[in-house]
Amino acid sequence: SGAVTGSAGTITHNSGKLTLSGNASEYTGKFEQNAGETTADSDTLFGGEKDIKGGTLNASGTKMYTGAVNLSNGSTFNYTVSGALTDNGTIDNNLLKFSDNGGSAIFNRWRNY
């Protein structure tokens, strides 16, 4: 696996499971998920807009910043803090945007230290 970079176009995920194990934070284009499940460390999550229209986006890490996540009805954003936070991110409308009656956002704390 290699890094995903660039800014042109849209990466679309329509079904099944997508796991990001390489660094995709340099990709500043749009990531669109219509169904299925995407899992990534927040440091490897796509750097551009994330439009989650269905399914689940799972992210974890030691930073609260993931870039803008747009959640539509029937979608879920699961964020797990894995260890001690290295920054004090603010959750506001710049981080999470709910549309079409919104999806759901779940924040978990996983302690292993």
Side-chain angles (χ1 to χ4, degrees):
S1 68
V4 178
T5 61
S7 62
T10 299
I11 295 175
T12 303
H13 180 211
N14 287 315
S15 66
K17 289 188 176 190
L18 172 64
T19 301
L20 300 174
S21 58
N23 189 345
S25 63
E26 297 291 320
Y27 176 73
T28 57
K30 183 177 182 179
F31 172 72
E32 180 178 282
Q33 178 173 308
N34 297 306
E37 181 178 5
T38 300
T39 302
D41 183 288
S42 65
D43 296 332
T44 64
L45 198 57
F46 296 115
E49 179 183 357
K50 288 158 283 297
D51 195 5
I52 310 304
K53 296 179 178 181
T56 302
L57 173 61
N58 299 307
S60 63
T62 58
K63 298 179 180 181
M64 284 299 295
Y65 179 75
T66 60
V69 177
N70 303 315
L71 296 171
S72 296
N73 192 29
S75 63
T76 302
F77 176 57
N78 248 335
Y79 189 88
T80 301
V81 177
S82 55
L85 282 175
T86 58
D87 69 355
N88 293 318
T90 300
I91 300 170
D92 59 18
N93 199 37
N94 293 318
L95 178 63
L96 285 174
K97 296 179 182 178
F98 296 91
S99 61
D100 300 331
N101 294 323
S104 60
I106 302 166
F107 294 89
N108 304 293
R109 178 86 165 132
W110 179 60
R111 297 182 73 152
N112 63 347
Y113 58 96

